[in-house]
Amino acid sequence: MYRITSCNRYRRCVNRIILRIMKAVLLDFNGTLFFDSGFHQEAWAEIYRELNPDKDDGPDGSFYCGPRNDVLIQMIAPWLSEQERQEVSRRKEALYRRICKENPRHVQLVDGAVEFLDELKERKVPFILASASIKDNIDFYFETFAL
């Protein structure tokens, strides 16, 4: 498996060589092509304050990186029912998208990503973008980044 980044001229040359031997490419989206951890952490911090108004500070931002929403919500608000956790999860993701929209200068693919995707298309190398995000977020990515 190759990890492909395109941050400078050297890597671009290496990428072109790799593209000649690749039959298909699987690209992780969140945190790789789009650095969005800060947006998620900001949304989680707001959700935490909403659910725990009597507490002064919440978990460190890294606490929110990795686990699924339902697991995180169970950890920060164990008293919520399954239905309430699903609603909180939907609100968190809507909040995340709102925060992204409020920060358009920071909502962009990593340097070289557009050129790399264009080169994949030009060379007819099939590729897929992988994400654990919900459909509403995927739709947002396609609209925002013209994917």
Side-chain angles (χ1 to χ4, degrees):
M1 174 182 273
Y2 297 101
R3 179 164 185 200
I4 297 175
T5 58
S6 185
C7 298
N8 60 38
R9 197 179 327 201
Y10 171 76
R11 286 191 175 144
R12 285 187 198 113
C13 291
V14 170
N15 289 345
R16 286 192 182 102
I17 292 168
I18 291 170
L19 281 174
R20 290 185 186 134
I21 61 173
M22 289 187 146
K23 296 189 183 340
V25 177
L26 172 66
L27 298 161
D28 184 27
F29 191 77
N30 303 87
T32 304
L33 289 176
F34 175 42
F35 295 142
D36 61 345
S37 296
F39 299 129
H40 282 290
Q41 290 172 0
E42 189 176 334
W44 275 118
E46 190 166 323
I47 291 294
Y48 181 86
R49 287 189 300 273
E50 173 189 314
L51 295 171
N52 296 280
D54 55 328
K55 295 188 179 178
D56 291 334
D57 60 341
D60 179 79
S62 63
F63 171 82
Y64 301 111
C65 295
R68 294 184 328 259
N69 286 6
D70 60 329
V71 173
L72 289 170
I73 295 166
Q74 177 67 35
M75 292 168 69
I76 64 174
W79 60 87
L80 295 177
S81 69
E82 175 67 26
Q83 184 177 353
E84 290 169 320
R85 285 194 304 271
Q86 288 175 4
E87 177 54 36
V88 169
S89 180
R90 282 189 290 275
R91 281 199 329 265
K92 183 269 173 187
E93 296 306 326
L95 179 58
Y96 158 80
R97 291 188 302 276
R98 190 192 86 211
I99 292 168
C100 287
K101 289 175 184 176
E102 291 172 353
N103 294 279
R105 203 176 96 223
H106 299 288
V107 177
Q108 50 193 278
L109 298 178
V110 296
D111 289 342
V114 172
E115 294 81 5
F116 182 68
L117 295 173
D118 287 345
E119 191 158 352
L120 287 174
K121 286 187 241 177
E122 181 181 311
R123 294 175 181 269
K124 298 185 183 348
V125 175
F127 65 93
I128 189 166
L129 302 177
S131 176
S133 291
I134 63 170
K135 183 168 181 338
D136 288 342
N137 288 0
I138 299 296
D139 292 342
F140 170 74
Y141 303 142
F142 272 83
E143 292 167 14
T144 301
F145 300 110
L147 297 173

